[in-house]
Amino acid sequence: MSVQSGVRSLFDAALDRTIVGGYTRVGYQLRQSGWADDPAPGALQGRTALVTGANRGIGKAIAAGLARLGATVLLTVRDRDSGELARTEIIGSNSEADVAVEVCDMSDLSAVRAFAADLSTRVSELNVLVHNAGVLPSTRIETADQHEVTLATHVLGPLLLTECLVPILGAADDPRLILMSSGGMYTQSLPTDDPEYLDGRYSGVTAYARTKRMQVALTPILARRWAGEHIRVYSMHPGRADTPGVATSLPAFRNLTGPLLRTPEQAADTALWLAATQPAPPTGGFWHDRRPRPEHYLPFTRYSDRERQRLWRYCAYAVGIDNA
Ligand SMILES: NC(=O)c1ccc[n+]([C@@H]2O[C@H](COP(=O)([O-])OP(=O)(O)OC[C@H]3O[C@@H](n4cnc5c(N)ncnc54)[C@H](OP(=O)(O)O)[C@@H]3O)[C@@H](O)[C@H]2O)c1
């Protein structure tokens, strides 16, 4: 490592410990000046990518970015009309974009199974799968399968969809899976005893952060599970971005931090980089702004490997897959 890149690396790590510095557009702009590893133009030509929650916010920016890199992009949404609007918008700014709309409610396990079965008859190779769909509810909601909604949307749906798509992921060259977590996960440990948030007073913000923590905790297990199919698994956080979700769920936070928030395109950058940079980053880690990041900053959030495995067994059981 040169002195210059060593200093840059120390500076980058220090930024990560200051939420305002690291997570906002200030952090993005400071770090971006040191990047020399942009995905090559056309890096995803001839490849297929699926992005969930792609009708707005960061998911739409990721979909547009993947299309710019040449991928055929499957905008996967729960409302077809808003998916079609996003598709029109993406094609409006890039007439070459190859995008199609798919419908799946990621919190509904039967819908996920049916969608995966149907997709697998139409798509033979899937190179990139981005689990971006996210939700921050104001009250505790249970899905049709009786799972708490953030657990179903952020963890169980993505786990089941990926497992069902392993044959077409495994058939693709250099398949990569990205779980969109959140820096909010740094405030929570693994709720191994209560993954469905049945105990205590429910807080949507806590449920959101706990399930984003679960995504990060499960990443190394999923990386091992699918290593035989050469599927690389990454979790990441996008920083803090000004999106419709933030405007609706966290209006006070948005008013306070408005001008500092990232654009959806800035928040999408690391997902695009993980999807397309060469050589592929190592599987199994947690990323932000194109660098691996620690799983913990606070001592009380730490958990043992036994707890990680226990959560994994619960999730595997909940979606009906073996927990090997
Ligand atoms: N913005 C930030 O600062 C920030 C920070 C950290 C992490 N993140 C994460 O980044 C991702 C995108 O965030 P965002 O700010 O762009 O959020 P957003 O504006 O709220 O968009 C969320 C997307 O997820 C979709 N979605 C929600 N539940 C779904 C379900 N059951 N099935 C399918 N799609 C579903 C939404 O679709 P509908 O339009 O149908 O609701 C929407 O497209 C989320 O995972 C979020 O947790 C964001």
Side-chain angles (χ1 to χ4, degrees):
M1 191 189 283
S2 68
V3 173
Q4 196 188 14
S5 70
V7 169
R8 193 175 279 145
S9 176
L10 278 175
F11 177 63
D12 187 320
L15 265 181
D16 218 38
R17 283 157 179 76
T18 65
I19 305 291
V20 170
Y23 292 15
T24 61
R25 65 171 64 202
V26 177
Y28 179 82
Q29 281 156 356
L30 288 172
R31 286 172 174 144
Q32 186 196 29
S33 63
W35 292 339
D37 51 359
D38 280 343
L44 297 178
Q45 202 68 48
R47 296 178 177 233
T48 303
L50 187 158
V51 185
T52 67
N55 54 312
R56 58 183 162 101
I58 299 170
K60 187 171 72 176
I62 294 172
L66 292 168
R68 268 196 312 277
L69 289 168
T72 296
V73 186
L74 308 176
L75 307 181
T76 305
V77 300
R78 55 181 169 177
D79 168 53
R80 179 170 290 282
D81 289 347
S82 67
E84 292 295 348
L85 275 177
R87 177 175 179 272
T88 305
E89 217 182 295
I90 292 171
I91 292 175
S93 56
N94 170 11
S95 58
E96 312 251 289
D98 180 6
V99 277
V101 177
E102 301 284 348
V103 176
C104 180
D105 181 336
M106 288 300 296
S107 70
D108 178 342
L109 299 181
S110 312
V112 168
R113 260 188 220 98
F115 168 62
D118 173 52
L119 189 73
S120 302
T121 65
R122 295 181 283 115
V123 172
S124 55
E125 294 176 17
L126 183 63
N127 302 84
V128 176
L129 174 52
V130 186
H131 288 299
N132 164 81
V135 65
L136 198 166
S138 51
T139 56
R140 188 176 183 284
I141 298 166
E142 281 195 1
T143 63
D145 312 283
Q146 284 157 7
H147 295 297
E148 189 278 324
V149 73
T150 65
L151 178 71
T153 309
H154 302 154
V155 182
L156 303 181
L159 171 59
L160 180 60
L161 182 61
T162 312
E163 181 74 13
C164 295
L165 295 181
V166 159
I168 61 171
L169 283 161
D173 181 32
D174 190 14
R176 304 186 193 183
L177 168 71
I178 297 159
L179 290 157
M180 183 62 76
S181 179
S182 163
M185 72 98 198
Y186 278 123
T187 63
Q188 297 294 316
S189 187
L190 268 192
T192 317
D193 290 333
D194 185 22
E196 301 278 358
Y197 209 147
L198 291 161
D199 298 335
R201 193 154 153 260
Y202 184 84
S203 148
V205 173
T206 304
Y208 173 89
R210 283 182 181 180
T211 52
K212 294 290 180 181
R213 163 63 76 186
M214 292 183 201
Q215 292 181 316
V216 176
L218 293 176
T219 297
I221 294 178
L222 300 180
R224 284 195 294 275
R225 180 175 183 83
W226 297 316
E229 286 79 15
H230 310 290
I231 302 167
R232 290 189 174 87
V233 182
Y234 310 109
S235 50
M236 62 159 284
H237 85 83
R240 296 272 184 255
D242 193 4
T243 63
V246 167
T248 313
S249 308
L250 302 168
F253 170 78
R254 181 174 182 255
N255 289 340
L256 198 68
T257 55
L260 288 172
L261 292 174
R262 296 180 177 204
T263 63
E265 288 69 28
Q266 291 170 338
D269 175 83
T270 293
L272 296 174
W273 181 82
L274 286 169
T277 196
Q278 291 294 350
T283 186
F286 177 55
W287 297 76
H288 171 59
D289 281 350
R290 303 192 184 190
R291 293 287 174 271
R293 303 289 169 181
E295 208 168 315
H296 302 275
Y297 282 128
L298 303 168
F300 69 84
T301 66
R302 292 183 187 279
Y303 35 83
S304 64
D305 202 46
R306 224 167 128 215
E307 287 170 286
R308 200 194 292 265
Q309 290 294 339
R310 212 171 128 215
L311 176 76
W312 159 241
R313 284 196 296 277
Y314 178 82
C315 295
Y317 176 76
V319 303
I321 63 175
D322 73 82
N323 62 21

